Amino acid sequence: MSSPAERYAEARRRAAQAAQFPALEEFALDLGFDLDDFQREACQSLERGSGVLVCAPTGAGKTVVGEFAVHLALRGTPAAVSAAADEPATPPVRRKCFYTTPIKALSNQKYHDLVQRYGAAQVGLLTGDNAINGDAPVVVMTTEVLRNMLYAGSATLAGLAYVVMDEVHYLADRFRGGVWEEVIIHLPSSVTLVSLSATVSNAEEFADWLVTVRGETAVVVSEHRPVPLWQHMLVGKRMFDLFHDADAARKHDVHPELLRYTRDQTRRLELGEGRSAGPGGGRRGPRWRGPMRPDIVDRLDREGLLPAILFIFSRAGCAAAVQQCLAAGLRLTSAEERTEIRRVVESRVTAIPGEDLTVLGYWEWLDGLERGLAAHHAGMLPVFKEVVEELFVRGLVKAVFATETLALGINMPARCVVLERLVKFNGEAHVDLTPGEYTQLTGRAGRRGIDVEGHAVVVWSPETDPRHVAGLASTRTYPLRSSFRPSYNMAVNLVGSVGVEPARALLESSFAQFQADRSVVGLARQVQRNTETIDAYGAESVCHQGDFDEYFALRVAIADRERAIARQGQTQRKAAAVAALERLRVGDVIRVPSGRRAGLAVVLDPATGGFGEPRPLVLTQDRWAGRVSPGDFTTPAEVLARIRVPKHFNHRSPAARRDLAAEVSGTGLDRHGGRRGGRSRQAAGEDHRLSQLRTELRRHPCHACPEREEHARWAERRRRLENDTEELRQRVSGRTGSLARTFDRIVALLTARGYLSVEGGVTDAGRMLGRIWTEADLLVAECLRRGVWDGLSPSELAAAVSVVVFEARRDADERASLPRGPVADAVDETLTLWSEIEADEAQRGLTVTREPDFGFAWPIYRWARGETLAKVLASGHQIDGEMPAGDFVRWARQVADLLGQLSDSGGAPTELRATARQAIAAVNRGVLAHYTSA
């Protein structure tokens, strides 16, 4: 119990704070909970008039600071005191606050939160889909909407006092991150910026940059989690703590019992004790089978760790997990909860036609929800995802199997988070989770005000080292790296608003250039140190018998010549493999000599006559169908036999693959064949130049030096360091002013194509380009200027523009087909324009515009023509079946967005603009109508 004197002193301190920060005291009274120290510090900085950067863990309550900026804007500037005593003081002048988020779902969520607090009249929403009360004093919007406002000089910016940038660490996103920097650089200096970020390790560096472009900015960093997080590993049926205590966690010391048990398990597997029994149990080598997903959920339920999010980095894996739990008979809900779940679901899907619900797997999805189970991934229909989010937050759905997209800002905290693997597919390759990603995923565990503690569980497998997990769990931060680069749209907007030279200066003030310039300082110091070391190495390699530099140059020339001869042999072998593949015909039986597909295979499609290397489609005797390349053949492919392939053979049919694979095996040929001897290669001594170099080497005076090899070791060190130093010098010159050089190249290309004038002004074509907001902005502008899309019907226009928007998740083996006639003609012209642009970009050393992708043309064409959702999804060019509904909706919305830009474009013909409006109406129906009416 504190003494009366201490209580009095505390009361005096609170009264002084209230007097100094009256707005914060008003705000805090309505919160219903006490502010944390970092929240109070950040809010006080805001009330003093400073910008603020807040870095804190997920779930720590960063958004309170953003909401205080909203409160300050609505509270207005202090009332002006009248000079005359009998005149009333003027009322406070209300100012505006824009609250930006990276994704539309977050914008919708924050809009509803602020409406609940301040009322619908005070709050607006602007996203690509919705425009509600856009002139309100508080407007929630996606970051792209604010960027577009700044370039257009929108009147809505009048009176803007605060901008909150939620999830500002998104500026590291390689696709959209540059938008955050554009906004930060271009906001008027009178606007106070509130930046909310996950915990990053270079917060001070980011804040230093903010100070250079925005003025005074306070940095508030908090590592404290309001709900403690306990880390565990599930090994088979046993659950272990990852750390013994908090002190061990700080030292990365894994729990000794966990280490001992996992080592025992690994040893047993190596000895063959871990082989599975039953079918497949006799296979060679050990095989680990971890706990089944239903068993994991059941265990979490028994230990009181639900609700839980189980991260599975695969859409198919998430859907399969729900089915496995249903098949196991799991039921996590009461009768009352099931009734409420059904009521919520039915109220949200009323706008979707019944036949579409069947196609979307509605009844299976509802069955899972009623049992408290659901999947959550980008392939789901967005309204289905929203229902899952709502039911999970309300505690009605207990276990959600999700991909990592769930971790990006959506407010779905859980008591427990489970990571099935620590490897994910990033769109190009399978990569390990970074400490930042691990922190973001596990940060969902522990609901503030509900849970005393949160729990993160990693499922062990033989590839998972507990010490690696400890490193991920203990490394709480990750560096923020800029992904900013100039685009064509950005260039014409910058030149149009400030001119070429000021635009270049603005780009040089970006965080990307700030980081590049800082790194140059360190690189330059390293170059200096290397130069001194090179001199020291040179002194050590001095030989009293002659010029050792000359002698060592001969040794290097010999090594280079030997490598060139070896490469020449590899080139010849590859050419032979290519020629052999080009000669193959349908029905040829060949042997794939190595790799995962090693064994006999029959040719289904020789794929000759195309561009690039031949990639015949084959079926192996293991029933795998796919394309092979010259890289799969260490020796030229030989035709060993021929079998008949049915005329209309469908390699996607399991039954057809099985029958034909049996025929391949029935040839009686040896699967692996005889092992050939080593590769023949040209004897090194047969090369005249190599013989000449070796003769010169033996005649050199230094060759007889007794310390020759010691001198050579120092000379080799010096050579390697010289190469490294030259590379550092190149990096220094490449980074200094790198963005300005890229900008100059873009300006030169735009000038040559007529978007900018020689004098540096923006032409009519440039103004049109400045209103096109898409990754392929220049290609869209060229299509408009050349009339590529003129005369198309609404459905044809939707299909034609889809090729510049759509990007397949993974490379398909075959190019998708197109609707014949006008669509195919328009796409051919688009490809021609793309080839011209690509050539221009390559000539100027610019990053090339992505090649058009045909994969969405048929689905959007059929949808715009009014065909059923079932037919539309079946027409998607997907390797693993029909197009997921969520992908269809997402890409259809992007097509509709581009059509909207065409309909508003001053550079498009009147007829095309009218067709674009008709196409939008044709697209926005059925499952798409939900987003236009929301």
Side-chain angles (χ1 to χ4, degrees):
M1 178 75 70
S2 58
S3 67
E6 288 171 330
R7 288 198 297 273
Y8 175 72
E10 177 61 21
R12 287 283 302 270
R13 189 187 66 79
R14 282 200 303 269
Q17 271 195 352
Q20 190 178 359
F21 303 105
L24 179 56
E25 289 308 307
E26 288 172 18
F27 177 71
L29 284 173
D30 294 335
L31 284 178
F33 59 85
D34 291 334
L35 289 169
D36 290 340
D37 289 344
F38 87 91
Q39 293 168 329
R40 186 171 292 278
E41 181 187 348
C43 291
Q44 287 175 352
S45 296
L46 264 183
E47 191 165 356
R48 276 195 293 262
S50 168
V52 65
L53 167 64
V54 183
C55 298
T58 303
K62 299 185 288 287
T63 54
V64 166
V65 183
E67 288 167 7
F68 180 59
V70 171
H71 175 80
L72 286 174
L74 292 176
R75 188 174 184 264
T77 53
V81 179
S82 174
D86 56 341
E87 289 182 19
T90 57
V93 178
R94 285 206 163 184
R95 297 168 294 177
K96 287 184 179 179
C97 176
F98 288 172
Y99 197 113
T100 72
T101 71
I103 50 180
K104 293 169 185 174
L106 256 181
S107 292
N108 294 333
Q109 194 175 64
K110 182 52 65 178
Y111 168 72
H112 291 301
D113 291 347
L114 293 176
V115 164
Q116 195 170 2
R117 179 161 185 170
Y118 297 108
Q122 303 279 22
V123 185
L125 175 67
L126 292 175
T127 67
D129 305 319
N130 293 314
I132 303 170
N133 198 16
D135 293 323
V138 177
V139 185
V140 184
M141 62 185 69
T142 50
T143 317
E144 279 86 353
V145 169
L146 178 53
R147 186 270 312 270
N148 298 354
M149 277 186 183
L150 289 167
Y151 280 143
S154 171
T156 312
L157 296 168
L160 182 61
Y162 297 93
V163 166
V164 180
M165 302 196 80
D166 203 352
E167 310 279 348
V168 75
H169 53 269
Y170 249 79
L171 68 77
D173 183 89
R174 62 189 178 128
F175 298 114
R176 299 171 55 217
V179 176
W180 274 255
E181 290 189 49
E182 288 181 77
V183 168
I184 292 169
I185 291 170
H186 295 311
L187 274 174
S189 58
S190 58
V191 175
T192 301
L193 186 66
V194 181
S195 305
L196 309 179
S197 171
T199 313
V200 294
S201 53
N202 59 335
E204 287 75 17
E205 179 188 38
F206 185 48
D208 287 347
W209 174 69
L210 286 175
V211 168
T212 64
V213 293
R214 303 296 319 157
E216 185 183 355
T217 303
V219 188
V220 180
V221 178
S222 173
E223 294 281 357
H224 174 69
R225 276 182 54 96
V227 180
L229 178 66
W230 291 95
Q231 309 272 354
H232 313 277
M233 285 199 80
L234 182 61
V235 188
K237 295 184 178 181
R238 292 192 60 181
M239 184 91 78
F240 294 89
D241 289 338
L242 184 59
F243 304 112
H244 183 266
D245 53 29
D247 189 49
R250 279 191 293 274
K251 296 177 181 176
H252 300 203
D253 290 341
V254 177
H255 200 297
E257 191 179 351
L258 169 61
L259 276 179
R260 181 189 59 76
Y261 190 77
T262 53
R263 283 170 183 158
D264 286 348
Q265 291 294 318
T266 305
R267 198 175 299 115
R268 286 177 186 171
L269 286 166
E270 289 169 352
L271 294 173
E273 295 176 23
R275 293 180 201 169
S276 57
R283 59 191 289 175
R284 187 168 43 179
R287 182 179 177 185
W288 169 256
R289 281 196 175 174
M292 302 295 285
R293 290 158 177 165
D295 295 338
I296 294 175
V297 175
D298 186 51
R299 173 162 193 158
L300 296 177
D301 187 27
R302 284 187 280 110
E303 297 194 9
L305 293 179
L306 297 181
I309 301 171
L310 297 93
F311 284 108
I312 300 172
F313 303 118
S314 152
R315 297 176 179 187
C318 292
V322 174
Q323 292 305 315
Q324 290 159 11
C325 290
L326 294 179
L330 274 184
R331 188 180 293 280
L332 307 172
T333 52
S334 65
E336 294 79 13
E337 288 173 327
R338 288 195 288 278
T339 302
E340 178 61 11
I341 288 168
R342 184 173 279 270
R343 186 196 67 76
V344 171
V345 172
E346 288 178 350
S347 70
R348 296 293 299 274
V349 300
T350 51
I352 302 175
E355 63 271 19
D356 288 353
L357 287 176
T358 304
V359 174
L360 295 166
Y362 169 76
W363 300 107
E364 297 85 351
W365 174 67
L366 179 59
D367 184 27
L369 290 177
E370 289 185 337
R371 296 191 191 201
L373 301 157
H376 187 289
H377 56 76
M380 291 171 62
L381 194 68
V383 69
F384 282 17
K385 282 198 300 178
E386 291 162 14
V387 169
V388 171
E389 291 161 13
E390 179 183 343
L391 294 176
F392 188 81
V393 169
R394 291 180 56 183
L396 296 170
V397 165
K398 319 289 184 180
V400 169
F401 297 93
T403 56
E404 75 273 17
T405 52
L406 181 68
L408 300 177
I410 301 296
N411 185 22
M412 270 182 70
R415 181 168 295 163
C416 178
V417 162
V418 178
L419 298 180
E420 192 174 79
R421 297 178 68 207
L422 297 177
V423 175
K424 69 167 191 172
F425 187 74
N426 67 358
E428 297 171 357
H430 286 89
V431 295
D432 291 337
L433 285 183
T434 65
E437 289 167 336
Y438 182 90
T439 301
Q440 187 125 29
L441 294 168
T442 57
R444 294 281 156 210
R447 296 165 297 173
R448 188 169 189 172
I450 301 174
D451 299 321
V452 177
E453 57 194 23
H455 298 268
V457 179
V458 174
V459 180
W460 182 82
S461 68
E463 299 81 32
T464 308
D465 186 344
R467 288 166 298 190
H468 174 61
V469 181
L472 289 174
S474 305
T475 310
R476 283 298 185 83
T477 57
Y478 59 99
L480 194 59
R481 294 280 174 253
S482 172
S483 61
F484 180 83
R485 62 182 179 85
S487 68
Y488 299 114
N489 167 286
M490 184 195 302
V492 293
N493 278 308
L494 280 174
V495 172
S497 56
V498 298
V500 174
E501 289 304 321
R504 186 185 291 107
L506 276 171
L507 288 175
E508 290 183 326
S509 69
S510 68
F511 187 44
Q513 193 62 57
F514 185 82
Q515 287 189 309
D517 290 345
R518 279 202 165 187
S519 69
V520 161
V521 175
L523 291 175
R525 285 186 190 138
Q526 187 63 48
V527 167
Q528 182 61 37
R529 285 194 295 268
N530 286 5
T531 304
E532 293 167 5
T533 308
I534 287 167
D535 293 341
Y537 287 171
E540 294 289 343
S541 65
V542 171
C543 178
H544 65 283
Q545 297 209 14
D547 185 346
F548 200 84
D549 286 348
E550 185 180 81
Y551 175 76
F552 188 72
L554 286 171
R555 289 177 66 144
V556 171
I558 290 170
D560 289 344
R561 184 63 184 166
E562 287 173 341
R563 277 194 294 271
I565 292 169
R567 277 196 301 272
Q568 186 179 1
Q570 289 172 354
T571 303
Q572 289 169 349
R573 282 192 295 276
K574 184 174 181 182
V578 168
L581 290 185
E582 286 174 339
R583 288 194 295 268
L584 294 178
R585 297 292 177 263
V586 175
D588 286 347
V589 177
I590 61 174
R591 183 180 290 113
V592 182
S594 60
R596 286 189 306 158
R597 310 301 177 193
L600 298 175
V602 59
V603 177
L604 305 178
D605 173 18
T608 55
F611 295 101
E613 294 180 343
R615 298 186 66 213
L617 178 66
V618 302
L619 172 71
T620 68
Q621 63 191 114
D622 297 324
R623 305 181 190 175
W624 175 82
R627 296 197 178 274
V628 290
S629 68
D632 295 314
F633 293 84
T634 52
T635 57
E638 294 181 43
V639 179
L640 306 174
R642 283 186 61 80
I643 61 175
R644 182 182 171 280
V645 177
K647 189 171 183 181
H648 299 294
F649 180 79
N650 179 9
H651 69 274
R652 300 185 192 276
S653 164
R657 287 202 305 268
R658 179 195 63 214
D659 295 344
L660 192 59
E663 283 194 53
V664 174
S665 298
T667 59
L669 294 166
D670 183 8
R671 179 186 182 92
H672 299 292
R675 296 287 179 193
R676 294 193 174 189
R679 295 174 179 171
S680 63
R681 71 176 181 181
Q682 183 182 8
E686 293 174 12
D687 182 73
H688 174 71
R689 176 61 184 151
L690 192 58
S691 300
Q692 189 179 11
L693 286 169
R694 283 182 170 156
T695 302
E696 289 180 35
L697 185 79
R698 286 192 293 270
R699 290 174 179 168
H700 198 282
C702 291
H703 193 66
C705 177
E707 297 180 349
R708 180 188 69 196
E709 293 309 311
E710 180 66 17
H711 294 327
R713 277 192 286 274
W714 285 109
E716 175 62 21
R717 288 174 189 162
R718 184 177 71 168
R719 186 177 75 89
R720 288 181 180 174
L721 194 57
E722 283 173 340
N723 290 341
D724 291 345
T725 305
E726 183 56 34
E727 189 180 323
L728 287 175
R729 288 194 179 102
Q730 300 255 341
R731 285 164 66 187
V732 167
S733 64
R735 290 184 185 185
T736 308
S738 54
L739 284 178
R741 280 200 302 277
T742 302
F743 175 73
D744 289 341
R745 292 168 187 164
I746 287 175
V747 167
L749 188 149
L750 291 174
T751 303
R753 287 186 165 266
Y755 292 93
L756 297 175
S757 66
V758 178
E759 296 77 26
V762 180
T763 63
D764 289 341
R767 279 185 279 278
M768 174 186 69
L769 174 59
R771 294 295 167 265
I772 296 171
W773 313 100
T774 182
E775 192 182 344
D777 45 14
L778 182 58
L779 181 56
V780 171
E782 287 290 293
C783 286
L784 284 173
R785 291 177 74 191
R786 307 279 185 95
V788 169
W789 298 324
D790 294 354
L792 297 177
S793 70
S795 57
E796 290 167 348
L797 179 61
V801 303
S802 75
V803 303
V804 300
V805 171
F806 179 73
E807 184 175 8
R809 289 179 69 224
R810 297 189 176 116
D811 290 338
D813 278 338
E814 302 165 14
R815 176 170 277 184
S817 60
L818 289 164
R820 292 182 180 177
V823 174
D825 294 342
V827 172
D828 282 345
E829 289 185 60
T830 304
L831 276 175
T832 301
L833 289 175
W834 171 77
S835 299
E836 294 173 7
I837 292 170
E838 183 196 33
D840 270 5
E841 290 169 330
Q843 184 183 355
R844 289 178 166 82
L846 290 167
T847 304
V848 294
T849 300
R850 180 174 54 81
E851 184 178 1
D853 192 320
F854 304 170
F856 196 58
W858 266 116
I860 196 66
Y861 177 69
R862 287 184 161 166
W863 181 255
R865 288 180 58 178
E867 295 189 28
T868 65
L869 184 63
K871 284 187 178 179
V872 167
L873 297 182
S875 65
H877 189 68
Q878 303 290 305
I879 297 171
D880 50 357
E882 66 180 27
M883 172 172 275
D887 287 350
F888 170 71
V889 169
R890 184 171 73 258
W891 290 115
R893 288 164 73 184
Q894 290 199 30
V895 169
D897 178 70
L898 181 52
L899 289 169
Q901 294 180 41
L902 299 185
S903 70
D904 295 335
S905 172
T910 306
E911 183 186 347
L912 177 64
R913 293 165 66 180
T915 305
R917 284 190 285 273
Q918 292 168 12
I920 293 168
V923 168
N924 288 331
R925 65 178 181 88
V927 292
L928 270 300
H930 170 78
Y931 302 98
T932 53
S933 59

